[in-house]
Amino acid sequence: MGVCMSAKTITAQKELHALRELQSAQKAAQDEMARVKLTHTERVAKMTEEHQAEVRELNTRISKMIQATSEENRKLQEAHMDEMRQMHERHTKEVRRIQEDHHSHMSQELLRHVEEVRKLQVEYRNQLKNLGVDMRYLSTTNRGWCGMTNMAMAKDSVLSVGGAGGGGVLEKSMTP
């Protein structure tokens, strides 16, 4: 058996050798594939980590911008509220001042009118005195109204008792 190897054996050995080379080539390809996968996985993990860090940084920047904007808006609102409060206080003071001025003017006007009325009353009484008419007895004439006598129509009259200065006490009397 030693010298003569049959064609089948040589073919089998060649096939065996080819299978071994194929197995070693497959193993080399699998090792290469594992190495490429590992490199790819590492790169993807590194890129994912970089992206996550970048996203965190962007989120931090966004939150700082939002916080700064919120703070600025809050300050603007506070300034606006201060201005509105000051305007309201000025308006309230102005309204109070106008009310006080109006009140004092109206008081002066009322006093002036009361004084004018008193003067007119005094003047009227003086004119009646000059004409010889006494206010107390003016309503006691015997003339009736629509045929009625004074006895039938009793009426109230208010008389001023006191001096001609107009500061007398008012009395109510029933006149027949």
Side-chain angles (χ1 to χ4, degrees), residues 11 24-25 27 36-37 67 78 98 152 171:
T11 314
S24 68
K27 185 168 180 0
V36 168
K37 280 184 179 180
Q67 194 174 27
E78 285 178 358
I98 290 171
E171 288 183 356

Side-chain angles (χ1 to χ4, degrees), residues 6-173:
S6 70
K8 287 185 179 181
T9 310
I10 292 178
T11 314
Q13 282 180 350
K14 282 184 183 179
E15 284 179 10
L16 187 60
H17 180 52
L19 279 174
R20 283 184 190 154
E21 283 181 9
L22 185 61
Q23 276 182 340
S24 68
Q26 280 181 344
K27 185 168 180 0
Q30 285 177 349
D31 288 345
E32 182 66 22
M33 183 63 91
R35 187 183 60 76
V36 168
K37 280 184 179 180
L38 181 64
T39 304
H40 177 70
T41 304
E42 287 174 356
R43 283 184 183 171
V44 167
K46 184 179 177 185
M47 282 183 7
T48 302
E49 186 178 316
E50 288 173 356
H51 285 288
Q52 288 176 349
E54 203 171 318
V55 166
R56 279 192 299 269
E57 181 183 340
L58 288 173
N59 282 338
T60 303
R61 287 176 56 193
I62 289 171
S63 68
K64 286 180 182 178
M65 287 173 55
I66 289 172
Q67 194 174 27
T69 304
S70 298
E71 186 69 23
E72 184 178 331
N73 285 340
R74 186 186 60 79
K75 287 179 182 178
L76 284 174
Q77 285 177 346
E78 285 178 358
H80 179 69
M81 288 305 295
D82 287 342
E83 184 179 347
M84 291 298 289
R85 186 176 15 63
Q86 291 171 356
M87 285 176 59
H88 184 266
E89 288 173 358
R90 284 194 306 263
H91 176 72
T92 303
K93 287 178 183 176
E94 183 68 18
V95 166
R96 251 189 229 126
R97 186 189 61 76
I98 290 171
Q99 285 175 342
E100 289 171 359
D101 288 348
H102 184 266
H103 178 72
S104 67
H105 288 301
M106 288 298 108
S107 295
Q108 291 172 358
E109 189 72 16
L110 179 64
L111 289 175
R112 191 172 56 82
H113 284 293
V114 166
E115 191 62 34
E116 284 180 24
V117 168
R118 284 186 183 155
K119 286 178 183 177
L120 288 173
Q121 285 176 341
V122 167
E123 183 181 335
Y124 179 70
R125 287 187 188 119
N126 288 336
Q127 286 178 358
L128 288 177
K129 281 183 184 178
N130 288 337
L131 292 175
V133 177
D134 191 358
M135 289 290 293
R136 292 181 194 162
Y137 302 111
L138 185 62
S139 62
T140 61
T141 61
N142 286 331
R143 286 185 289 158
W145 184 61
C146 293
M148 298 176 72
T149 64
N150 266 346
M151 294 302 281
M153 48 178 218
K155 57 182 175 181
D156 293 339
S157 64
V158 178
L159 300 175
S160 175
V161 177
V169 177
L170 297 178
E171 288 183 356
K172 183 176 178 184
S173 68

